[in-house]
Amino acid sequence: MNKDNFALIMAGGVGSRFWPVSRTEHPKQFIDFFGVGKTLIQSTYERFLRICPPENIFIVTNEIYIELIKKQLPELSDNQILAEPIMRNTAPCIAYGSMKIAELNPNATIVVAPSDHTIADQDGFVAAIDEALAAASSNDCLITLGIKPSRPDTGYGYIQYVDNTLASDPKIHKVKLFTEKPNLDLAKSFIQSGDFLWNAGIFIWSAKSINNAFRKHLPDMFDIFQAGQSVYNTIDEGGFIGDAYQQCTNISIDFAIMEKADNVYVLPTDFGWSDLGTWASIYDMAEKDYVGNAVIPSEQVIMFDSSNCMVNVPHEKLVILQGLHDYIVVESNNTLLICPRAEEQSVKKIVADVKSRFGTKFI
């Protein structure tokens, strides 16, 4: 296994679209949604054990989740857990992680990935990451993985690519355009064109290339984290980061770097990817009965004349549903949510309304 390969797993989100199961104090990356005995972050960590030495896997998260990570991934050293004092989107956490890793190994090649994705084809995922890491180690480029779209999904960002490819790998194409979540008509035109991919939010680059990109496109943030060179991987790192984050703007890596840099490439892939962004994505991946009900867990749930429902309730509770079709039924933390599947995008607004009415008690 290549000692220069590193992984930076982002695990700081709150997953509000999975409320009430996902809450601020215990968000979705720490939950076993499918009853397989592993949480999303544990599954992500295990995938990267096939790509990087275990000591080269780093988790960046909000400091309030440090104990959760230590409990779920006890094999990590304290130095492998990067604690963010406040949420500032993906650009600061990637700048922090990349510069910390560069201090350990200036020749590092890094894959950056969210902690809450699911992958059906594990071998295909590993092969794609290995291919991208090899290309990034020998080229000054920023690579992202693009997923071949199976439908005109309006919940994903899209990447348009051109015929130009890396000289060292003809599978890796130059990126022409990033597009945020489109409307349905635009998404359909993307699918028909054949040169658009879903944006998986998985990035591969050398430490040198990404740090140079920060220097060029986000110099203020580069200077903030560059000032910590002498304290990374020491006992003084935490104090420095606490001050550094107070100076950072809230900005995504896509907007700050990927949409501006001229050395961005994409590797088209197809390994059964889902970002688990909503209850619909859980429903799509879960096992279903003969009338389309996905029930997790299913021991004490009885369905009468009900179909195409997504049900997630405590395993000790007896639940009977009669005459319910195309609904989400979710209970957790003394909270019950019943919502039409077609209106699941309203969950985020529901959470905001609950917070305004009851404070953080149920959030």
Side-chain angles (χ1 to χ4, degrees):
M1 191 172 288
N2 191 332
K3 64 179 178 57
D4 293 334
N5 287 349
F6 286 75
L8 182 65
I9 300 172
M10 299 180 291
V14 297
S16 60
R17 287 184 176 87
F18 287 100
W19 182 86
V21 173
S22 176
R23 292 193 170 196
T24 300
E25 64 180 24
H26 198 97
K28 68 174 180 175
Q29 59 268 31
F30 302 109
I31 296 170
D32 175 10
F33 279 101
F34 298 101
V36 296
K38 297 174 187 175
T39 64
L40 296 178
I41 195 171
Q42 287 171 328
S43 296
T44 302
Y45 176 79
E46 287 189 6
R47 277 198 293 276
F48 282 106
L49 286 175
R50 299 178 58 185
I51 294 165
C52 310
E55 64 273 17
N56 288 6
I57 301 176
F58 291 78
I59 312 290
V60 58
T61 189
N62 190 284
E63 61 185 14
I64 66 175
Y65 302 135
I66 297 300
E67 293 308 314
L68 268 174
I69 288 176
K70 288 182 176 181
K71 181 179 180 180
Q72 295 197 3
L73 298 173
E75 55 270 55
L76 293 176
S77 70
D78 288 348
N79 193 50
Q80 290 172 268
I81 304 173
L82 285 62
E84 295 183 287
I86 50 178
M87 294 181 183
R88 282 291 186 265
N89 217 312
T90 53
C93 80
I94 290 173
Y96 172 22
S98 298
M99 292 190 191
K100 175 183 172 72
I101 290 170
E103 284 302 304
L104 288 171
N105 184 339
N107 297 315
T109 308
I110 306 167
V111 52
V112 180
S115 59
D116 52 5
H117 291 180
T118 62
I119 307 296
D121 179 3
Q122 302 287 326
D123 291 341
F125 174 82
V126 171
I129 296 294
D130 283 343
E131 181 175 356
L133 284 167
S137 68
S138 57
N139 294 275
D140 179 19
C141 61
L142 309 175
I143 300 174
T144 184
L145 295 190
I147 309 299
K148 295 175 183 177
S150 59
R151 60 188 182 276
D153 200 302
T154 60
Y156 296 146
Y158 285 76
I159 304 168
Q160 186 180 23
Y161 63 93
V162 296
D163 290 336
N164 295 354
T165 61
L166 276 178
S168 62
D169 190 331
K171 295 180 186 177
I172 301 178
H173 292 257
K174 189 80 183 294
V175 168
K176 179 180 180 180
L177 180 70
F178 287 90
T179 300
E180 287 302 308
K181 300 173 182 178
N183 61 38
L184 184 58
D185 288 340
L186 193 55
K188 287 179 179 178
S189 71
F190 289 170
I191 302 301
Q192 292 168 357
S193 73
D195 57 357
F196 280 83
L197 303 163
W198 287 336
N199 186 352
I202 301 172
F203 309 104
I204 302 94
W205 40 52
S206 68
K208 293 174 184 175
S209 290
I210 187 57
N211 289 338
N212 284 337
F214 272 102
R215 182 188 286 113
K216 180 177 180 180
H217 300 289
L218 206 60
D220 290 348
M221 191 172 291
F222 174 83
D223 290 343
I224 290 169
F225 288 100
Q226 183 74 0
Q229 273 188 308
S230 63
V231 301
Y232 290 132
N233 307 299
T234 74
I235 59 172
D236 297 322
E237 179 179 314
F240 166 77
I241 290 300
D243 293 335
Y245 265 71
Q246 298 297 330
Q247 305 171 55
C248 288
T249 54
N250 187 325
I251 189 170
S252 72
I253 193 70
D254 300 80
F255 185 74
I257 304 292
M258 302 302 283
E259 295 180 11
K260 298 176 181 177
D262 59 4
N263 60 338
V264 179
Y265 289 78
V266 62
L267 174 61
T269 59
D270 187 11
F271 41 67
W273 166 89
S274 175
D275 73 342
L276 293 189
T278 63
W279 282 112
S281 58
I282 298 288
Y283 176 82
D284 289 341
M285 298 194 67
E287 291 187 11
K288 304 172 187 66
D289 65 18
Y290 70 101
V291 289
N293 294 312
V295 183
I296 310 170
S298 59
E299 290 85 356
Q300 296 188 154
V301 176
I302 304 173
M303 311 283 285
F304 293 106
D305 185 29
S306 297
S307 63
N308 302 318
C309 289
M310 171 72 238
V311 183
N312 186 298
V313 293
H315 65 85
E316 72 277 3
K317 176 158 287 193
L318 174 62
V319 175
I320 298 96
L321 299 180
Q322 166 75 47
L324 211 57
H325 304 278
D326 297 291
Y327 265 78
I328 296 167
V329 180
V330 183
E331 182 181 357
S332 184
N333 302 301
N334 203 32
T335 304
L336 174 64
L337 171 69
I338 302 172
C339 173
R341 281 178 51 212
E343 298 176 24
E344 68 155 1
Q345 293 295 337
S346 65
V347 171
K348 200 166 186 178
K349 181 180 182 301
I350 290 169
V351 173
D353 290 346
V354 170
K355 186 176 181 179
S356 67
R357 182 173 297 191
F358 301 104
T360 59
K361 178 181 178 182
F362 297 102
I363 307 300

